[in-house]
Each structure stands twice: as structure tokens, then as C-alpha cells.
Amino acid sequence: MAEHFAHLVRGSGPGLLLAHGGGGSIDGNFGMIIDELARTHTVVGPDYPGSGGTPRSGTPLDLDTVADTLVRTAVDAGVERFTILGYSVGTGVAVRAATRHPDRVTGLILTSGFSHPTNKLRLAADVWLALLAQDDRRLLAKYLTLMGSGEQALNALSEAELDASIDALAAFVPEGTPEHVELVASIDTRADLAGISVPTLVIATSADALASPALSRELAAGIPGAQLTEIDAGHNIGGEAREQWLHSIQKFLSEIG
């Protein structure tokens, strides 16, 4: 794996390092809130191998290596200490980064996350990989829309809006997605949680069919002193509940200083 990931740096102030989801990217998972976050923080957004400008990995992704490279990317960008905002798979990356680099990490915000894959999440990942192998991007986009959307938000779309959303998602499938999805099945940070000593906010997406809110509650229960907030959204929180998500993040960041 490269020494560091391709990344963006925006804003000024305390460091905020982003850890995106599997099959996602910094722009895809955080693009809708980066400008606001950069008003108060120096935001560093690295893309995993095979997303954004980072070359695809020729070998399976290892959680320790991804976490180490994420941290090194921020430090090489001149941001030496930071809160990590992790989303989905990025919550596992964030927790492992805090465990391995306690001198660097000053806080954690864990959204739509998990400490280990349940059977449901493993099955979802298996289907995701099988659809990738078929190379039917529209069918894959339908599956991800089904799994990643809150029922209320999904059913509120018109037929034309749903088709347009599926088309847009089909056009956005990073080439490194197979390695990202395989990483999902390998994550297990349960042994890390009790050792986390930085301020932590866990944001559960209560209508999430992919990473169920029970998994976020488990994360919060395992991390000493963690705050837990629940937002009525599916896994696609940035699309369904942008304002509530941004408010929760900003409120926590202002509290920890």
C-alpha cells in the first residue's frame, strides 16, 4: 500500500480527519458537509485505495495498515492531532487509528458504524461482492439503494427520482470497492473499545437496514463515556438527514474544543 492516500485539505483550525465508507469516497460520503466543517476545522479527507485519486491495491486491505496510512496522510499534510469522523467501515478504521495512535487522536465521531459484522452484514457483503463480479452496475445500484435507504425516504421518491438516483449510484462504483467490501467482513474492533479514552460521539442511523442501530448502540456501550445520538435515517445519512447529521457533528466538536 502507498505511503499515504490521495486526499483533500480544506479550512483551518483544529484537525478533523475523515474516514469514509466501503465502496464510497470522501466526496461521495462527506462532500455534502465538508464546506461547513472546514469553516471551523482543518479537514483532511483521504480516499482509500481504489477511490478518488488513490490507486487500487493489488492485495487485500488490512485494517491496521489502512488506519496507519490514514493517520500518516494527515500528519504528512501538516495536521498532527485530530478528531476522526468515521462513517460505516470508516468507524472501524477510526477506532483502530485511535488504538494505534493515541498521541494523535483527540476525539472520535462514529456514524452508522459497527465493531464487527453481524451475519446480516456478512450476507449483505457477500451479495455486494457477487453483484460486483457480475458487472451489472444498475442491479448493484438497486441493491445498494434497497439496503442503504431508510424506508420512509425511499418511498417518498417519485418513480423518476428513484430511477435518477439509481442511475447516479450506478455511475459511482469506485474500482477498489471489492477490497473495501472484503474489509467489512474482516473488521473486529471489539477488543479495542474499552481502551478508547478520547471523547467519543456515536451516531446511530435508526432506519438503517445495512448497519443496524443496535450495532451503534453496542459501539457506544463499549467505549467508556461515549455519547450516543440517534438520527432517523437509513445508511445514506448524508442524503436523507444532512442537517441533523451536520448539527450533531458540529455540536460535539464545539463541546470538545
Side-chain angles (χ1 to χ4, degrees), residues 111-202:
T111 303
S112 305
F114 57 94
S115 61
H116 63 101
T118 57
N119 286 338
K120 182 176 183 179
L121 196 48
R122 282 184 206 279
L123 287 171
D126 285 347
V127 174
W128 195 347
L129 286 169
L131 290 171
L132 279 166
Q134 286 183 24
D135 204 29
D136 184 339
R137 291 297 189 257
R138 203 158 196 282
L139 182 59
L140 173 62
K142 287 182 176 181
Y143 172 70
L144 294 176
T145 298
L146 176 66
M147 294 300 292
S149 304
E151 187 171 359
Q152 186 173 347
L154 181 59
N155 290 332
L157 297 175
S158 69
E159 194 170 338
E161 287 170 336
L162 179 58
D163 277 344
S165 175
I166 288 168
D167 285 341
L169 188 54
F172 173 76
V173 180
E175 64 171 354
T177 299
E179 291 80 41
H180 299 180
V181 178
E182 287 166 356
L183 183 63
V184 171
S186 73
I187 285 179
D188 190 343
T189 61
R190 284 174 288 188
D192 298 11
L193 301 183
I196 300 293
S197 58
V198 295
T200 299
L201 171 66
V202 177

Side-chain angles (χ1 to χ4, degrees), residues 5-43:
F5 297 144
H7 59 281
L8 61 78
V9 181
R10 299 253 184 93
S12 61
L16 180 62
L17 177 58
L18 307 180
H20 69 73
S25 68
I26 289 300
D27 185 58
N29 294 157
F30 298 110
M32 70 293 295
I33 61 173
I34 284 175
D35 287 347
E36 284 80 0
L37 296 175
R39 288 178 185 156
T40 54
H41 286 71
T42 302
V43 179

Side-chain angles (χ1 to χ4, degrees), residues 1-5 7 17 44 46 64-80 82 84 97 100-101 104-105:
M1 193 177 293
E3 284 297 304
H4 65 269
F5 297 144
H7 59 281
L17 177 58
V44 182
D64 287 353
T65 306
V66 172
D68 290 349
T69 309
L70 193 86
V71 168
R72 188 163 56 245
T73 299
V75 173
D76 288 351
V79 181
E80 300 205 347
F82 36 77
I84 305 180
R100 291 173 66 84
H101 304 276
R104 300 285 188 192
V105 180

